[in-house]
Amino acid sequence: ILAVSSLSCTGSKTWSPYDMIMISLSLSRIILQCWIILDLFLTIFCEPSYFEKKLFVVIKTVYMFLNYSSLWFGAWLSVFYCIKVASFTQSFFIWMKQRIARLVPWMLLTSWLYSFTAAIPFAWDVDGVHDNFTAALPVTNSSAMRTTRKDSLALLIYLCEASTALPLILSLVSSILLIRSLWIHTRQMQNNASGFRDPSLEAHMKASKSVCSLLIFYVIYFIAFIFLLWNFFLQFSIEKSICIAVMTACPTGHTMVLIWSNPKFRELPARIWHHTKCHVR
């Protein structure tokens, strides 16, 4: 996806909003997957160094930034599909259709800034914050002030964790609107009794499959992410390993759906496979 979208942008003077979203989404997912692999490698082979305060905080902060970015870019892809394909006649939808090309760069930039801001609280003493959030208040004034500050930081972190639901809500709303538009369009075709294949119906079907698949993967990913974020499972437990595997597999699964649903993305792997077979022969 990254290669095809980048080639499309390289050959044209203006970047299409779809290619910009796909480049941002695929790039964030590639870096996120590499970061997860690095995290697992350090956990297994460099365990004493991994749990040093500075290294652990850096790994967790960067992971949160990449994770937030990936979630937001996936949500904006659903919003883009909904705006471009849905056939609603409300003034807001018409306004969005006319301006979506100019809004996409700002949407992506806002996502980067939001992800960076949401990851900043994790750059502080995260373990100390979580441990002290439920601790009893010390008697001395200095200790009380320090604990109060940590309580405020913990509250800020919990708010950032809760904000991961915002992209999920965007994806859910986009899926509902797109499915509703598909249902309305299908009823109109049945009333018209048209025997020809309607390009608009095919576009509705492809967009609905992509958005609904993203929503399914998103919900599964979100549940596993919350389990890991709130430390429901012990370190190196089977349950935690399953959550990590699920979080790694969900972006890959959605990427495969995107490749399968877009002929432009299917052509490049087929071309590479054809050249590989020719060279082997």
Side-chain angles (χ1 to χ4, degrees):
I1 292 175
L2 180 62
V4 174
S5 301
S6 300
L7 287 173
S8 300
C9 293
T10 304
S12 60
K13 294 182 180 180
T14 58
W15 289 22
S16 70
Y18 179 75
D19 286 330
M20 283 191 284
I21 295 175
M22 296 308 296
I23 289 174
S24 301
L25 177 61
S26 57
L27 190 61
S28 65
R29 284 182 173 175
I30 290 172
I31 299 174
L32 177 61
Q33 296 283 7
C34 294
W35 197 259
I36 291 175
I37 293 172
L38 176 64
D39 181 37
L40 290 174
F41 178 83
L42 291 174
T43 304
I44 296 172
F45 298 103
C46 308
E47 185 179 352
S49 302
Y50 176 81
F51 289 102
E52 290 181 3
K53 181 179 176 181
K54 291 184 178 180
L55 180 60
F56 181 73
V57 167
V58 169
I59 289 175
K60 188 163 187 177
T61 304
V62 175
Y63 169 76
M64 295 304 299
F65 169 72
L66 294 172
N67 183 68
Y68 284 142
S69 301
S70 178
L71 295 177
W72 273 106
F73 295 147
W76 288 134
L77 179 62
S78 299
V79 172
F80 179 80
Y81 275 135
C82 180
I83 293 172
K84 295 295 287 186
V85 177
S87 56
F88 295 111
T89 57
Q90 283 80 0
S91 58
F92 175 74
F93 264 85
I94 296 173
W95 183 86
M96 289 292 292
K97 280 180 181 289
Q98 295 172 347
R99 291 167 175 80
I100 187 63
R102 284 178 287 175
L103 290 175
V104 164
W106 293 105
M107 290 157 59
L108 297 177
L109 179 61
T110 304
S111 300
W112 281 111
L113 294 175
Y114 177 87
S115 302
F116 179 75
T117 304
I120 286 177
F122 293 90
W124 293 306
D125 189 7
V126 178
D127 290 333
V129 168
H130 281 272
D131 292 340
N132 284 276
F133 186 68
T134 56
L137 189 67
V139 178
T140 61
N141 291 333
S142 60
S143 299
M145 290 176 62
R146 185 165 55 252
T147 305
T148 303
R149 187 176 66 251
K150 288 188 175 183
D151 287 349
S152 301
L153 178 58
L155 180 60
L156 180 61
I157 289 178
Y158 292 152
L159 289 175
C160 291
E161 293 172 356
S163 66
T164 56
L166 294 177
L168 177 63
I169 294 172
L170 277 176
S171 299
L172 178 62
V173 173
S174 300
S175 301
I176 293 173
L177 291 175
L178 202 55
I179 292 172
R180 176 172 171 77
S181 177
L182 173 64
W183 179 70
I184 293 173
H185 191 76
T186 304
R187 286 191 60 186
Q188 290 176 350
M189 285 191 62
Q190 290 175 350
N191 293 333
N192 295 333
S194 176
F196 299 98
R197 297 185 67 181
D198 186 7
S200 178
L201 179 62
E202 293 183 6
H204 270 81
M205 293 295 293
K206 289 181 179 179
S208 298
K209 289 178 182 178
S210 178
V211 171
C212 290
S213 65
L214 173 62
L215 182 62
I216 293 171
F217 285 121
Y218 207 152
V219 171
I220 299 173
Y221 184 93
F222 183 77
I223 294 172
F225 175 67
I226 293 298
F227 282 160
L228 286 181
L229 204 58
W230 289 79
N231 295 321
F232 280 108
F233 306 119
L234 297 174
Q235 188 74 15
F236 303 115
S237 64
I238 297 176
E239 293 84 0
K240 188 168 185 177
S241 301
I242 292 174
C243 287
I244 295 173
V246 167
M247 291 183 64
T248 307
C250 282
T252 305
H254 181 242
T255 301
M256 296 304 295
V257 172
L258 291 176
I259 294 174
W260 172 74
S261 61
N262 194 325
K264 184 174 70 172
F265 296 142
R266 290 201 305 265
E267 288 177 2
L268 184 61
R271 211 180 307 158
I272 294 173
W273 175 250
H274 177 71
H275 284 299
T276 304
K277 288 176 66 178
C278 291
H279 285 301
V280 170
R281 290 177 183 176

